[in-house]
Amino acid sequence: MTAPEFRLTLLSAGTPTPTPERFGSAEVVQVGDQRLMFDCGPAATHKLMKAGIRPTQVDHLFFTHHHFDHDIDYPCFLLCRWDQGAGLERTLQVHGPGPTAALTNALIGAGGAFEHDWQARINFPTSQAVFVRRGGTLPRRPPRVDAADIAPGWTLETDHWRVTAALAEHVQPWLDSLAYRVDTDAGSIVITGDTQPCPSVRELARGADTLLSMCWDDDESMIANGEYQAQTGILGAARMAAEAGVRRLVLTHMGPHISTPSVLEEWLAKAARIFDGEIVVGRELESVALGS
Ligand SMILES: [Zn+2]
């Protein structure tokens, strides 16, 4: 039996600070013909298309937490997927820490912030004609999403993959945060989300093939700037990767300073002295083959 295609596509590999190269967080893990999306930061829906993935090809979305750099494109993704799906799409399954369910309802539920949009599309004749041309059958129904709040220890298993959630230490108690592990027949990846290096993420990553870690800045600058709490720097990411015993570290959520080529080069060399596996600098719209 051949292992399924297993691939990571970084849609967004930045932070809340927009730069021409990076802004926000979102990525897709492909397992065979299934695509699991993690976070939905700025312009994630458009970046999906740029990466060659239609929103209707994504049936599972997982949130690490609800800072805007990780979820601001969520209403766009929900409405675009519903509109393009023409009623033929599978029901989207959304999981994340609170307030995932409440946010979903507040966006597209009855009385939600975007009800005016879907009410107009459902009822106006031209919008109905577009819907029918796309293969839909009237009457057009409102968007329907299965969204649930989950907690550390939660797992979801299908025939092709298993997703496990663990505690990520970020900005609690203001917001809950999760890290995720995806296990497949072709290998495994752990997605840290936003976290400081911590035992729960290290344990989640133990023995995984790939660690996708946030990398806010170089650790020296983070300490000097008072930004060391709740976040991971490049050396912290290398240390987690080494301690967990992964083979490959992919850096994402990179701030403007660490993204400066001369700074990055210097600190990659330091990280390589801590972690002797492969280090990949994640770039938006690039994908990494994960198969072992
Ligand atoms: Zn973030």
Side-chain angles (χ1 to χ4, degrees):
M1 211 174 79
T2 54
E5 182 169 10
F6 188 36
R7 178 171 287 281
L8 167 72
T9 300
L10 291 165
L11 303 175
S12 306
T15 70
T17 302
T19 72
E21 293 78 26
R22 299 173 182 278
F23 188 21
S25 258
E27 54 269 345
V28 172
V29 174
Q30 180 182 348
V31 187
D33 62 358
Q34 303 201 9
R35 288 164 181 83
L36 316 181
M37 187 165 164
F38 293 84
D39 287 336
C40 197
T45 311
H46 196 197
K47 290 177 182 176
L48 270 178
M49 287 304 295
K50 290 185 179 197
I53 303 167
R54 294 189 306 280
T56 49
Q57 290 179 291
V58 176
D59 294 333
H60 293 270
L61 171 61
F62 303 88
F63 283 110
T64 60
H65 66 299
H66 286 287
H67 265 147
F68 82 85
D69 52 318
H70 297 253
D71 73 358
I72 197 69
D73 208 52
Y74 186 38
C76 178
F77 176 69
L78 292 177
L79 289 162
C80 177
R81 185 181 181 280
W82 165 77
D83 191 38
Q84 296 296 315
L88 306 173
E89 74 280 12
R90 284 178 286 271
T91 302
L92 181 71
Q93 310 290 315
V94 185
H95 294 95
T100 296
L103 178 65
T104 305
N105 203 40
L107 290 171
I108 59 161
F114 288 91
E115 182 184 356
H116 57 271
D117 179 283
W118 56 257
Q119 285 288 8
R121 288 182 202 281
I122 281 174
N123 290 297
F124 194 76
T126 303
S127 305
Q128 292 176 340
V130 170
F131 172 76
V132 169
R133 184 171 53 75
R134 286 180 183 148
T137 305
L138 294 171
R140 199 172 179 184
R141 300 190 191 289
R144 205 174 75 76
V145 173
D146 287 346
D149 295 352
I150 58 170
W154 175 90
T155 63
L156 178 63
E157 186 154 6
T158 71
D159 290 345
H160 306 284
W161 46 263
R162 180 175 66 242
V163 172
T164 306
L167 175 75
E169 296 181 5
H170 190 36
V171 294
Q172 288 91 340
W174 301 102
L175 270 181
D176 286 334
S177 282
L178 295 172
Y180 292 99
R181 175 172 178 144
V182 184
D183 287 292
T184 77
D185 287 346
S188 50
I189 180 171
V190 166
I191 293 163
T192 66
D194 287 7
T195 187
Q196 59 192 6
C198 63
S200 53
V201 176
R202 206 180 304 123
E203 281 315 305
L204 185 72
R206 191 163 301 287
D209 299 309
T210 302
L211 178 67
L212 174 68
S213 177
M214 85 166 292
C215 175
W216 172 251
D217 204 342
D218 72 75
D219 298 58
E220 233 169 63
S221 298
M222 287 169 69
I223 291 168
N225 295 336
E227 297 173 357
Y228 209 52
Q229 193 193 356
Q231 314 196 94
T232 296
I234 189 167
L235 298 189
R239 220 167 280 125
M240 270 202 296
E243 289 167 358
V246 303
R247 290 192 298 111
R248 180 192 293 118
L249 171 64
V250 183
L251 302 175
T252 189
H253 204 291
M254 296 173 66
H257 180 246
I258 191 74
S259 300
T260 310
S262 57
V263 176
L264 181 58
E265 197 182 332
E266 177 193 342
W267 285 87
L268 277 173
K270 293 181 184 175
R273 290 202 282 274
I274 295 172
F275 174 63
D276 63 5
E278 180 188 2
I279 302 179
V280 178
V281 176
R283 300 189 196 282
E284 299 197 355
L285 304 182
E286 285 190 2
S287 77
V288 181
L290 298 176
S292 38

